[in-house]
Each structure stands twice: as structure tokens, then as C-alpha cells.
Amino acid sequence: MENQDSSDLPLDAPHVSLFKSRRRQWRQNKQENMVTPTSIQKLRDSLVLQESMSEAISIVSQSIASREITILQLVENLQPELLHQQAAYRCRAVSTIASILEQLAPDLKEINEKEIDLITEFFCSKLKDHHSILPAALHGLHVLSSTNRLSPGLARSISQAIFQDVHCQSQLQHDRRAIYKTIKNLLALHIRELQILGQDFVFGLIQAADQERDPRNLLILFSIFPVVARYFRLEPFTEEFFEVFSCYFPIDFTPPANDPYGVTKDQLCEGLRQCLASSAHFAEYCMPLLQEKLESDLVSAKVEALKTLELCCLSYHPTQLEKWIDTFWKCIRREVLINVNTEELEHASLDALAALSRAFAANEEFKNPAFTKLLKEILSECQGHLCEPERRLMTPSSYVLLAICSGNAPACALIVSQVIPLLMDQYRIRSQSAPRQFILNCLNKLVQAGLYGFTEIDVAQSGISPLIPTLLELYLEVLKEDDALLCGLSLQGLGHFVGIGLNHQDLEKVNQSLLGLLQQPLTTGHTIEEIGRFFYKCAEQNESWFVEKVLVKLLDMAVSDKANGIFLLLRNLPPLPRIRAQVLSQLLARLEQSEPELRLEMLKTLAYFAQHDEVQMFHQLHSWALKTLKEGDPPTSLEATCGVLRKLASSLSSEDATQFIDEQIGRYIDQHLASSTWVVPIMEATLGSLDATPVGQNLEKLIKTLEPLTICHPNADVRISACRLVAALINKVPEGHELESILDSLRTKWQDPSADRNKTVCLFVWITKALLMRSYSKLDQSIQELVEFLNDPTHGYLVAEGFKTILGETEGCLNFDSHANIRLMYRQRFFQEVVPRLLKLYRESPSCNKSACFAAIANQLAFIPEGVLVAHITTLIPLLIQCLNIEQPDQLIISTITAFMGLMSDNVNAIEEYISSLVPRLLTLAKDGLTMDVRRLALRCLSELRKAQTVVLLPLRSEVILRLIPCLDDKKRLVRREAAVARQKWAMLGQAGCD
């Protein structure tokens, strides 16, 4: 029915008849409605005065939800507005009711079924009203469609009302969207009821969706069409229904920049593919369409047609595909074997071919004459190409055969039985390495395809089963070649047989060959890696056999140093229980008697296999480590030993950790430290990583013992290790008298004027880090002392470097793995506290060590999140630019440039305002920097600046290109290379395609 042209309708218009027919039902509540509820009265006042309705709507919705009023009372009280002669009043009233329903959706549990029936009829009748009221009525119907409480027949009534009374394509986008979403909801919740409409529903949907162009609406339609195609009878409108969506194929859509709706081309393409493949009834119309697009010159159209064909093969019957299979093969052959195409088009072609092969995978379908004939043609052509590895068609031909093999067992058996013997013959008649590599690569892929889906039990039923002995013979022959690449390919091929086609006798042969290969001095790392992968598969498949037959021999070869790269191979084995137990027991037993150069590899292997709660291993390794220490140079394996001890110590339970401390703390202090100070790194690895801390006299005595080592020991490694251990202990000690006493004692050490300042700074920095990480309550005093240390003209820069230590990650102790006491966002809090003090010191103290202040700020930037930096960036960047002066220390310049590059990697826009000041200083440093590192970093920073907006950089382009010319003649090759890269990037600035 056409909408009324006039906005003034008489009171006896058809849309009013609803109220006359229902008036008797409403009059029984008339007495209750004589006094209009306050919430409804406010709503009416807002309607009349045309004020904002949101607050009044919310109040009425709450009243309905609390059952103070009903939806029928609302409609009854809004009757004057609903029956008003002016359409604008009626529109506002209908829209208000729809908005109230929306706030009660989706359950509408506050409204009974009778009220839902009446309100649904009300909105359906409003579709016949003036065209300006349609959006509000559609809004109401969309809300109602989202509930599953519609009475039988209402879903049918809603869809019929929309199809009969609304000309969809005459509405605005938002209103069409409401129609489509309503239909989608009804299909999701009331599909059986809509199926009664049959072809009437299909025809109505065709009319509603025809010529839709908005991508947002198309996304909804593309989710509706497959449902209708699967669950509705389409005749006699099958072709018309297909044409409604096939006209969009292929999708050609580019979303606008900054699209707020987020509709992408991929979403539309995927939706349309689902529509085209949703019913086998579309085959007679879809196949010619796909053929037409495959003949197109547009790569995107071909790719989309091939992806659609792949999906259609899942739903179309083989009898519908057989007359098109030759046509599609010609198109696929052209793209894979003849033309040189993009990777995407080649993959899409092979995927489509695999889908076609899969469609004929059943035994009865495999015998289809059309498919059988095509398979023989393809096999004949590809066999010819496989005999010519020098030509480029060998690899794509193998891809074609593999695509057919995937998902089609009969075809795979046929191909494997004919092609594998051919490839083995070709390998033997070729002598050059390159053709042999091609052949072995193809052979491995076909072996994998032939074995796919089979197990050791049913492998005899595969087409490759008769060929397994000859294949193994070939692969073992290849292992004797000197070519590492061929050996690697042979090992890959053998790996496919593990657990499927190798019996124990075969495994013994392969095992002997591989162990012999490992003992050859010329065996490359690549070959060892492939052997490791093979053994990994064997171990996963049969752990017991591997431990007995292989692992024992590998361990003997490893500890006797008779093989190449065995330890690396061991560290690539799966850490299964029996393998792990065997490796740990053997290596621990032989660790003490092994040569020093082997110990390092053994310790690395122990670290790989060590797991949680290895108490016995921890004590055994700890005892061995203490025995190896002698005064003088540390053992070469000390660092690796500490790494294993640290991992084991951190995994001990708190009870075992406490027991270890009670047993060992006295021995550490009285015995081990007296014999060798190199025991300090071992103490750090154990005591610093345990989930427990010494207490009372043990802690006090330990700290007193370590204090002189932190400052007075001549060896820097021991001294720093002692500082870290003290810091780790302080980090875990609870706040109180004990902690204060320790800190007071340490403070006297680093404040002692007679002590070496270089060494006391290191101790102070580590103590500050430990206190900062735990958010010590008196941290402010330490921070202020740290800032004041920067004023030291001799050691201020050393303190500034300590800021990296304070904020950086620590691999040894003071991390989560070592059970350190770490509070969240401690770095951000430190930055917020320190930066204002540094700026104040810089501005107010004329004697301030400005270089140290600059370095302290620069050294923090890499550790602080962008959100925190932005608040200070306008203050910090001008100061940092001043650091880029050739007169400043090189280390300060390097720290500052590194900080700038860190900022640019996260948020280059933040520094765009300062680029005009930054670039000249970088150019000066690039040419006149005193060290190679300064010049290289300056040039690299100039290259990184290309990430900024072109409009900001263009005014500087000519100057940069000119001033970089001398850098091309720098005496250092690495500097010249960076200069060439930077100058090329700036020369291309503003050119087409350079971004």
C-alpha cells in the first residue's frame, strides 16, 4: 500500500481501526488510568514541548520494569498524540514507544504475551501510516523481533507487513538496515514459522534486497541469504534469488579512510562466497559466472572466483561439477603451469584444484569418467615435467599433483604409485647437485602425501607401502653423500616414516647411519639439526626404544667428545620423563671427571633438562660447584654453573629453601668464603634466588661478611656479584628494625669519604634498586641522595649510568623468577619522582653537573611507557637536544641518541615539533663525532627520522642531502654504509611510492 501524501489524516483512517477494535479490552483498565501517572505525564509534556526525551523515556522504562505501569497504559495515555492530525506528533509518539521498548529489550520480561501481541499489531499498523512514521515503526518492530516471546503467527505477520507495506529501497540506509536486521532476527528465532510463508517470503526478500548498495546493509544481507537458501524452497524464484546477490560478484570495494563502521572488503567477499555456495540449486547459474571471471584480466577477479569455487565444491554435487571440471582445469593449468603469477593467485588455484579433487574422493565418485580422464591427462603432463628438473615446471607440477592428492585417497594412491618410482629413477641418473635437490624435495612431499592419514597399523593399505623398502634404500644412500643439503633432504624424508613405515629393523639401520654421520668431523650444523629433528620424532613416538637404542650411545659419544654437536642435539630432544632422567643422571655422574671444555656444554644441557623441585640435583650440583673453586681465576664453567643453580634454586619450595639456608649459611661464611671469594657468584645464584631469606643473626652475619667484598675486593665481577646479593637480600627482608639496621650499616660504607667512590656508587645503586622495586616507605631519602650524587664532578656521570641499572631488567636476581619483592609500575613512580628533582637541580644549581643530569634523564627514557613520557616530553626534549653537542662526553651523546631512537620507534609524532632543531645537531655529529659509534648512531637516527610526516621533513631535505656527502667518505666502512642508507632515504623523500 502506498503511503499517504498528506500529513493530516482523519480520525477514522484505517490505522485507527486497531484502537476501535481493542477499545473494549482497554476499557476494563480505564478506571485505573483516569489519573495519568506522573512518569507518563512528564513524557507527554516533553512530547508537547518538543524537549529532550531521554530522561523521560528512562523514567517510564523504569516504571514499566518495576510494574508500576504497563505498556498498554502508556499507549492509552499517549492516544491523543498517537491520533493527532499532524504526522510529526504521531511520529514522536511512536518513536517514544519504540525507544522505551528498546530499553526493556531483548527479554521484554516486564511485558506479558497479550501486551506483546497488541503492541506488535500496533507497530504493524503504523507501517500504513504517513511515510515519516515508518522509521519509528520499523525501529519498534526491530526491537520486538529480538525477543523469543512472540506468539505463534506474529513473526509471520511482521514479515508480511514489512514486505507488503514498505518499499524497502525507497527508505534511507538506516531504515533499510532496520528492515534487514528485523528479518535476520526473525530467521534466527522463528524460522519454522517463516517457512510456512514459503515462496511468498522468498519473493518478499528479493524485492526488499534488490539493488541494495550500502556495504553495511550488504553484510547483513549476506548473512541472511545463505539461511534462506538452505531452509526455504526457492522455486520458482531460484534464478531471481541468485541474481539478487550474484550481481555483486566479484566485490570491488575500498573502504574510506578512517571508516568508523569498519566494513572491509574481506568481510564482504567472505559473505558473498557463502551466499554463492549456500545451495546446490545455484550450481547451474554459479558455474558459468565463475568461468567468466576466470577468463578475466583482473587478478583480483580470478582469485575471488577460485576461492568461491573452492567453497562451492563443498556444497555442490559431483554430478553438477563434472561437466565443468575440464574448463576449470584449463584455467588452473594456465595460472600454475603457464603464466608467472602472484603467490596469492597460485595458492588460490591450487586450493581450488584440491577442492575439486576432494569432491570426487568417494569411491563411486572417483570412478566418474570425467574425473578419471582428467586425472590421467594431468598425471601424464606432470610426469613429463618431473623428468626435466632443469626447467621451472618441475616444482609447479609437483604442487599440482600434491593438490590432487590432498583429500582424495584413491587419486593419491594412483599418483604415488606412478610418480615416486619415476622420481627415484631420475635421482639416480642425475649427477649434479641442483637437480637432485629438486627431485628429493618433490619426492619428500609425495612421500608425506602418501603417508598422510595412515598409522603403523593400516599403512599396508596405502599406495606407498610397496615402495617403502626402495625409498629407505635411496634415503640411506643419500646420507653417504658429501652434500649437506642432500643429506638434510634425505633426513626430512626419513622423518616422514617415523611411527608409520619403519619397523625396528629399519630403525636400527637408520640409527647406525645417523650415529656414524655424527662421528664424521665434516658433518655440518645443518645436518646435525636435521638429525636432531629425526631423533625428536623417534623419541616422541617410542621413548623406551629411543632411550635404550639411541640416547645411551649419544651420551657416550657426548662425554667422550667423539662426535660433533652432540650436546646441541641433546638440548633439542623432548624433555620426556625417561629421557630427562637418563640425561641428568649420566651428566651429573660424569661432570666432575669431564674435561673443562666439555663442562660448559654439559651444564647448558643440564639447565635445559632441569625442572621444578629438583632438590637432589640442586644439592649435588651445589656440592660439585664448591669443590671446583680454587683461589685465583674462576673455572671457565662458573657462569654456566651459576645459571643452572639459579634455575634450580628458584624452583625449590620455601621449606626446602629454608632448610638449605640453615644448613649452608654458616659454611658459606666460615669455610667457603675463607677458601675462595669466587664462591660469591654461587652464593648469589643460590641465596639470591631462593623463596626464603636468612633471618636474625644469620642475616646480620652474612651482610657483615659481604660488606667489605662489595667495596674492597679487587675483582670487579666478585664485587658486583656481592652488591647484587646484598640487594637481593635487602629486597626480601620485611620492613622493620632489622632492615633499618642493615641499611644504616651499609650507608656508612658508601658515605665513607676514604672509600673508593667508583665502588661505593655501585653498591649504592644496587641498594636503591632493591628498595625501589619493593616500594620502601623511606625511599624518598635514597632518591634525594641519588640526585645529589649527580653533582659529583668526578663520579656524577657514573651515577647517571646507574639509572640504567636501577630501571633495567636483571637476569640473575631481583626478578620475578628469583622471588623478588616487586611492586607494579615501580619504574613509572621512580620517573615521576626523579625527573622534577633533576630539572630543579639543573635550573637552580649553577654548579650542577649538567652532563650527568642530561645522562640521568636520557638513561631512563627507554624504560618508561609512552603514556608517562608524553606528560614530560615538552620539557625533556629541548634539554636532550642540548646534549647532542660535540663537546659533550661520547657516552652521554650515545645515551641521548639511543633515547631519541626509542621515542621514535614508539611515537615519532611526539618529536615532530623539534625536528628542525634536532636534524642540524645530528648532521654535525655524523660528520665531526669523535668516535665511530657516535657518527654511526647519528646517521641511524637520521634514517629513523624518515618515519615522521613528509610535510615536516621536506624543508630539511636539501640540507640533509648536501651535508651527508662528506660522511660518504668517512674513514670507517660502517659509517659510510649508514651514511649511504640515510642519504638514500632522504633523497627519496616525497617521491611517489617512497612511503
Side-chain angles (χ1 to χ4, degrees):
M1 176 177 177
E2 296 294 330
N3 294 325
Q4 299 285 346
D5 294 329
S6 172
S7 65
D8 297 329
L9 294 177
L11 291 179
D12 59 347
H15 71 281
V16 184
S17 62
L18 171 67
F19 297 101
K20 290 183 178 181
S21 65
R22 299 292 183 182
R23 193 173 299 262
R24 289 181 181 176
Q25 299 174 14
W26 291 351
R27 277 179 179 168
Q28 60 186 357
N29 299 322
K30 189 70 173 177
Q31 295 301 322
E32 301 175 14
N33 298 335
M34 291 299 293
V35 179
T36 304
T38 305
S39 57
I40 297 180
Q41 186 58 51
K42 288 181 179 180
L43 185 69
R44 290 191 61 189
D45 293 343
S46 299
L47 276 170
V48 173
L49 298 174
Q50 299 186 2
E51 296 175 345
S52 175
M53 305 287 295
S54 57
E55 183 179 356
I57 287 173
S58 179
I59 293 172
V60 173
S61 300
Q62 293 172 9
S63 299
I64 295 175
S66 61
R67 304 189 187 279
E68 296 175 11
I69 60 174
T70 65
I71 193 72
L72 293 185
Q73 284 180 284
L74 172 65
V75 175
E76 180 72 18
N77 282 281
L78 291 181
Q79 186 173 350
E81 286 76 17
L82 291 170
L83 300 179
H84 202 283
Q85 289 188 347
Q86 293 188 19
Y89 282 90
R90 301 200 299 278
C91 179
R92 283 172 64 83
V94 175
S95 179
T96 299
I97 297 173
S99 298
I100 292 171
L101 278 178
E102 186 175 26
Q103 294 201 4
L104 299 173
D107 296 333
L108 299 179
K109 57 185 178 182
E110 299 83 2
I111 306 175
N112 60 43
E113 292 186 5
K114 181 180 178 181
E115 291 174 325
I116 291 177
D117 293 352
L118 293 175
I119 207 69
T120 302
E121 291 183 33
F122 164 72
F123 279 117
C124 286
S125 70
K126 282 299 171 184
L127 295 178
K128 299 182 176 70
D129 205 336
H130 190 263
H131 64 84
S132 63
I133 302 175
L134 275 180
L138 291 171
H139 181 199
L141 290 174
H142 173 233
V143 174
L144 289 166
S145 70
S146 64
T147 181
N148 57 3
R149 298 183 57 214
L150 293 179
S151 300
L154 285 185
R156 205 160 60 244
S157 299
I158 292 173
S159 60
Q160 285 178 319
I162 290 175
F163 292 151
Q164 293 173 10
D165 301 327
V166 182
H167 185 260
C168 183
Q169 292 305 315
S170 299
Q171 311 306 314
L172 297 176
Q173 184 274 335
H174 181 271
D175 301 329
R176 301 198 306 275
R177 184 177 179 83
I179 293 172
Y180 302 145
K181 290 175 76 173
T182 300
I183 296 172
K184 183 176 179 179
N185 289 342
L186 293 176
L187 285 170
L189 299 173
H190 309 281
I191 189 168
R192 292 189 179 278
E193 190 175 323
L194 297 181
Q195 283 176 321
I196 299 173
L197 293 175
Q199 63 185 28
D200 290 338
F201 182 86
V202 174
F203 181 72
L205 180 60
I206 291 172
Q207 284 191 315
D210 192 29
Q211 298 182 9
E212 177 60 58
R213 298 182 62 84
D214 188 86
R216 292 165 289 176
N217 291 346
L218 286 174
L219 270 183
I220 301 173
L221 285 173
F222 289 165
S223 65
I224 292 173
F225 291 143
V227 177
V228 176
R230 292 188 185 104
Y231 298 104
F232 286 75
R233 185 175 179 179
L234 302 179
E235 294 85 355
F237 304 113
T238 304
E239 185 174 3
E240 290 79 2
F241 188 77
F242 179 80
E243 290 295 333
V244 169
F245 52 80
S246 63
C247 61
Y248 302 105
F249 186 82
I251 295 288
D252 183 16
F253 170 68
T254 303
N258 303 319
D259 180 18
Y261 306 107
V263 179
T264 65
K265 180 179 180 180
D266 289 341
Q267 290 175 323
L268 292 169
C269 290
E270 178 61 28
L272 182 53
R273 285 199 291 270
Q274 294 292 338
C275 295
L276 292 167
S278 57
S279 173
H281 294 99
F282 298 150
E284 61 177 305
Y285 312 113
C286 186
M287 294 291 102
L289 176 65
L290 297 181
Q291 181 199 3
E292 177 189 346
K293 301 306 177 185
L294 285 171
E295 301 293 340
S296 168
D297 294 331
L298 293 174
V299 173
S300 59
K302 292 180 181 180
V303 170
E304 196 56 38
L306 290 164
K307 289 182 177 180
T308 305
L309 175 61
E310 180 187 359
L311 198 60
C312 289
C313 289
L314 298 176
S315 56
Y316 293 1
H317 195 272
T319 55
Q320 296 173 308
L321 297 171
E322 63 176 331
K323 63 179 180 181
W324 295 96
I325 193 170
D326 276 331
T327 303
F328 289 136
W329 161 243
K330 290 177 183 176
C331 297
I332 292 170
R333 178 180 177 276
R334 181 176 63 243
E335 307 304 338
V336 178
L337 297 179
I338 298 177
N339 296 339
V340 178
N341 284 304
T342 63
E343 187 175 339
E344 183 184 18
L345 180 53
E346 184 176 344
H347 285 176
S349 300
L350 293 171
D351 290 342
L353 180 60
L356 282 169
S357 174
R358 203 174 297 118
F360 293 88
N363 286 330
E364 60 274 10
E365 303 299 344
F366 178 73
K367 298 175 183 178
N368 184 293
F371 180 75
T372 304
K373 178 185 175 184
L374 178 66
L375 180 58
K376 290 180 179 178
E377 292 178 2
I378 295 174
L379 189 54
S380 175
E381 180 178 1
C382 290
Q383 281 178 314
H385 298 318
L386 292 175
C387 294
E388 299 175 329
E390 298 84 359
R391 299 180 60 186
R392 75 167 191 87
L393 291 179
M394 181 179 187
T395 300
S397 295
S398 67
Y399 291 158
V400 167
L401 294 176
L402 289 169
I404 297 174
C405 288
S406 63
N408 193 323
C412 181
L414 177 64
I415 291 172
V416 163
S417 63
Q418 295 190 23
V419 175
I420 286 182
L422 173 68
L423 289 174
M424 289 193 290
D425 291 340
Q426 286 295 314
Y427 180 86
R428 287 191 169 97
I429 65 175
R430 305 280 175 178
S431 57
Q432 297 87 356
S433 176
R436 282 187 159 193
Q437 289 176 30
F438 275 112
I439 294 169
L440 268 185
N441 198 22
C442 294
L443 185 62
N444 287 345
K445 291 174 182 176
L446 283 169
V447 168
Q448 184 181 17
L451 292 171
Y452 180 78
F454 290 97
T455 64
E456 191 173 8
I457 299 172
D458 60 359
V459 69
Q461 303 173 15
S462 67
I464 201 174
S465 177
L467 302 171
I468 290 178
T470 53
L471 279 168
L472 289 178
E473 183 182 349
L474 176 67
Y475 282 135
L476 291 174
E477 286 179 11
V478 178
L479 288 179
K480 298 175 183 178
E481 302 279 350
D482 294 333
D483 193 317
L485 291 176
L486 292 179
C487 286
L489 289 170
S490 173
L491 288 165
Q492 290 176 16
L494 286 170
H496 297 317
F497 290 103
V498 174
I500 302 176
L502 293 178
N503 55 37
H504 287 295
Q505 186 177 359
D506 294 331
L507 277 173
E508 286 290 346
K509 289 181 182 178
V510 176
N511 180 29
Q512 290 177 6
S513 297
L514 297 185
L515 292 175
L517 196 59
L518 286 172
Q519 292 178 337
Q520 295 179 10
L522 298 179
T523 302
T524 64
H526 174 72
T527 303
I528 294 173
E529 286 181 13
E530 292 297 339
I531 294 174
R533 292 190 182 97
F534 178 83
F535 282 153
Y536 190 100
K537 291 181 180 179
C538 291
E540 281 192 319
Q541 190 66 32
N542 191 335
E543 183 184 4
S544 300
W545 176 88
F546 181 79
V547 171
E548 295 172 5
K549 300 295 184 180
V550 181
L551 185 58
V552 174
K553 296 178 181 178
L554 286 177
L555 288 170
D556 288 339
M557 293 164 61
V559 297
S560 61
D561 197 21
K562 293 181 180 178
N564 182 19
I566 297 293
F567 284 107
L568 178 61
L569 190 151
L570 289 172
R571 291 196 291 272
N572 286 323
L573 292 176
L576 300 173
R578 292 192 60 183
I579 294 175
R580 184 171 153 272
Q582 183 76 9
V583 171
L584 292 179
S585 63
Q586 290 290 324
L587 293 187
L588 284 171
R590 306 183 188 188
L591 188 61
E592 191 170 348
Q593 291 81 23
S594 62
E595 296 295 326
E597 55 268 19
L598 282 181
R599 286 180 184 175
L600 185 61
E601 292 296 329
M602 295 173 74
L603 288 165
K604 288 180 181 178
T605 307
L606 287 172
Y608 170 77
F609 282 99
Q611 292 185 356
H612 293 294
D613 205 23
E614 292 278 1
V615 182
Q616 183 179 356
M617 178 181 171
F618 172 69
H619 286 289
Q620 188 176 349
L621 187 62
H622 177 255
S623 300
W624 173 83
L626 293 174
K627 288 179 183 178
T628 59
L629 291 178
K630 295 179 181 179
E631 193 63 53
D633 293 337
T636 55
S637 58
L638 179 60
E639 184 178 353
T641 305
C642 290
V644 183
L645 286 172
R646 187 177 296 114
K647 181 176 181 180
L648 293 171
S650 63
S651 67
L652 295 183
S653 65
S654 57
E655 293 80 9
D656 290 330
T658 303
Q659 184 180 353
F660 176 81
I661 290 172
D662 295 339
E663 292 175 356
Q664 295 294 332
I665 197 77
R667 298 174 187 172
Y668 275 139
I669 297 170
D670 300 329
Q671 299 176 22
H672 304 313
L673 276 173
S675 63
S676 173
T677 53
W678 282 109
V679 80
V680 174
I682 295 178
M683 293 173 64
E684 180 198 349
T686 54
L687 299 178
S689 302
L690 292 171
D691 188 14
T693 310
V695 294
Q697 292 184 350
N698 280 342
L699 177 62
E700 182 181 354
K701 195 173 180 182
L702 179 61
I703 296 292
K704 290 292 185 184
T705 306
L706 292 173
E707 277 180 2
L709 297 177
T710 61
I711 296 175
C712 303
H713 197 279
N715 187 281
D717 291 334
V718 173
R719 196 167 58 245
I720 293 173
S721 182
C723 289
R724 286 198 299 259
L725 177 55
V726 171
L729 295 172
I730 288 174
N731 176 262
K732 298 177 185 178
V733 175
E735 284 202 33
H737 174 72
E738 190 174 36
L739 178 61
E740 295 300 328
S741 175
I742 294 171
L743 290 176
D744 290 340
S745 175
L746 291 170
R747 192 172 286 110
T748 59
K749 293 292 182 182
W750 73 61
Q751 290 180 349
D752 185 358
S754 63
D756 187 340
R757 203 62 165 168
N758 288 327
K759 299 173 183 177
T760 58
V761 165
C762 179
L763 174 63
F764 174 62
V765 164
W766 279 103
I767 299 300
T768 304
K769 178 181 179 69
L771 297 175
L772 169 66
M773 295 176 77
R774 63 177 293 168
S775 293
Y776 176 55
S777 59
K778 298 179 182 179
L779 182 64
D780 187 74
Q781 178 183 350
S782 299
I783 291 178
Q784 186 58 38
E785 194 172 354
L786 184 70
V787 173
E788 291 172 357
F789 263 159
L790 290 169
N791 261 336
D792 189 321
T794 306
H795 304 96
Y797 197 83
L798 183 63
V799 176
E801 286 296 296
F803 278 69
K804 291 180 182 178
T805 301
I806 291 173
L807 296 183
E809 294 288 347
T810 309
E811 291 185 5
C813 53
L814 290 177
N815 52 45
F816 285 109
D817 290 337
S818 62
H819 308 285
N821 185 1
I822 302 176
R823 297 289 298 274
L824 294 176
M825 297 190 293
Y826 71 90
R827 294 184 178 90
Q828 292 90 318
R829 286 194 294 273
F830 180 77
F831 183 78
Q832 299 277 24
E833 283 284 333
V834 167
V835 166
R837 302 186 193 209
L838 291 175
L839 294 176
K840 182 180 179 181
L841 179 68
Y842 171 78
R843 290 167 180 160
E844 297 180 3
S845 176
S847 60
C848 164
N849 187 343
K850 297 189 185 317
S851 295
C853 282
F854 288 149
I857 293 173
N859 289 336
Q860 296 178 71
L861 299 184
F863 306 100
I864 307 302
E866 178 188 335
V868 179
L869 284 178
V870 167
H872 300 274
I873 209 159
T874 55
T875 307
L876 295 180
I877 287 186
L879 293 178
L880 292 174
I881 290 177
Q882 293 182 34
C883 299
L884 300 180
N885 191 317
I886 200 169
E887 298 175 357
Q888 297 289 355
D890 289 341
Q891 193 58 45
L892 172 60
I893 296 173
I894 290 172
S895 299
T896 306
I897 295 177
T898 304
F900 270 117
M901 292 175 67
L903 281 174
M904 283 187 280
S905 65
D906 295 329
N907 184 15
V908 70
N909 296 331
I911 65 170
E912 285 184 345
E913 181 183 348
Y914 308 95
I915 284 180
S916 59
S917 304
L918 177 61
V919 167
R921 289 178 178 263
L922 290 173
L923 288 169
T924 301
L925 291 173
K927 179 178 178 292
D928 301 324
L930 297 180
T931 65
M932 180 187 73
D933 290 337
V934 169
R935 299 196 298 276
R936 281 184 65 201
L937 271 178
L939 289 164
R940 191 173 298 170
C941 192
L942 284 168
S943 297
E944 291 293 317
L945 280 174
R946 277 288 288 107
K947 296 178 180 177
Q949 295 184 61
T950 303
V951 67
V952 178
L953 301 177
L954 273 176
L956 303 167
R957 177 175 175 269
S958 300
E959 179 187 2
V960 172
I961 293 174
L962 182 64
R963 293 184 60 180
L964 284 179
I965 293 177
C967 301
L968 298 174
D969 294 327
D970 194 277
K971 59 185 178 180
K972 294 293 185 180
R973 178 182 59 84
L974 295 177
V975 176
R976 296 196 298 271
R977 185 169 67 182
E978 292 289 352
V981 172
R983 193 167 186 270
Q984 179 190 28
K985 288 186 176 182
W986 280 82
M988 293 297 294
L989 183 66
Q991 304 299 317
C994 74
D995 292 332

